[in-house]
Amino acid sequence: MSEKQQKSALLVIDMQKAFVEPGAAHCIKGAKATVPYCAEEIEKARRAGIPVFWIKRQYRQDGSDVEFTRRQSWLDGGRTMAPGSKGINSEELAEGLVQQPEDYEIIKPRWSAFFQTKLDLVLRRLGVDTVILIGTTTPNCIRTTCYDAIALDYRTVIIERCCSSQNEEIQRVNMEDMERIGAVIVRQHTEG
């Protein structure tokens, strides 16, 4: 650690039912298994006084803000993740994850938590210089957030067991790539 005191924030990315629940329109195969680890890291952050940011996806009911690469799965899933939606294809947090009133919420329109959001502004006002990333999906939202965080000069930490991909090879390759560009990958063995 440098002489300057580091201040961290925990970014919990897309841990919503539409991404986590098996059978959901945008389900990431490994996401459900990460929920207990994410819950554990969120509690650790709260005990340490680290602010928790819930980075979420929402789509307008008319679909005018759905990226073209996801439009068909959005339609097939019954117009997923509308504000206030409930159930398997909803914007609700995965079972076992609870947002507290003191937590922050950022709605992102695309993959990166920084793209067209107020995240950078809020982090800087809080004096944050280190972001800790957990959530799904590693090759898309975790990775683009990682790259943007590094481009914005944040120290970037990724807790591997709290991230997920469609398969182990995608997970491994993306973690290695993010490590090569300067992210710190925390590798903890999962039980089981």
Side-chain angles (χ1 to χ4, degrees):
M1 186 176 339
S2 68
E3 291 178 26
K4 180 184 168 209
Q5 183 64 32
Q6 294 180 12
K7 182 169 182 183
S8 300
L10 179 67
L11 309 186
V12 185
I13 300 175
D14 290 346
M15 291 302 289
Q16 298 163 262
K17 287 184 179 179
F19 295 115
V20 172
E21 290 301 319
H26 310 291
C27 179
I28 304 305
K29 290 179 185 169
K32 184 94 171 168
T34 69
V35 171
Y37 302 119
C38 289
E40 182 181 312
E41 292 302 327
I42 291 162
E43 285 310 308
K44 281 186 199 174
R46 288 185 178 132
R47 284 193 305 271
I50 294 171
V52 176
F53 284 74
W54 296 91
I55 313 298
K56 298 179 179 179
R57 262 312 188 36
Q58 286 181 346
Y59 293 123
R60 292 176 55 88
Q61 192 65 36
D62 67 4
S64 59
D65 56 355
V66 177
E67 57 271 69
F68 77 91
T69 58
R70 185 172 276 157
R71 186 152 181 83
Q72 193 56 54
S73 61
W74 175 80
L75 287 168
D76 293 347
R79 299 175 180 258
T80 60
M81 293 183 286
S85 57
K86 304 284 184 210
I88 192 170
N89 286 314
S90 75
E91 64 142 356
E92 290 180 295
L93 292 177
E95 295 295 327
L97 300 178
V98 179
Q99 186 172 333
Q100 298 294 334
E102 66 273 13
D103 295 343
Y104 295 84
E105 181 176 282
I106 301 288
I107 304 300
K108 65 184 177 70
R110 292 295 183 261
W111 315 114
S112 173
F114 290 98
F115 181 76
Q116 295 184 358
T117 72
K118 61 185 177 184
L119 178 60
D120 184 47
L121 172 69
V122 176
L123 291 174
R124 291 189 192 282
R125 287 198 174 160
L126 293 174
V128 169
D129 62 6
T130 303
V131 292
I132 304 163
L133 309 182
I134 65 174
T136 199
T137 173
T138 301
N140 297 340
C141 302
I142 299 295
R143 185 177 174 136
T144 57
T145 300
C146 168
Y147 275 64
D148 283 352
I150 289 171
L152 291 164
D153 288 328
Y154 289 98
R155 290 178 191 88
T156 304
V157 177
I158 301 166
I159 302 176
E160 186 175 34
R161 72 179 184 159
C162 295
C163 297
S164 55
S165 298
Q166 291 292 14
N167 64 52
E168 289 180 23
E169 181 66 7
I170 292 170
Q171 182 78 354
R172 181 188 64 76
V173 168
N174 278 276
M175 287 294 172
E176 288 174 2
D177 280 348
M178 289 185 289
E179 188 171 42
R180 274 190 214 88
I181 65 148
V184 174
I185 309 299
V186 176
R187 291 182 169 87
Q188 297 169 302
H189 296 291
T190 57
E191 296 175 14

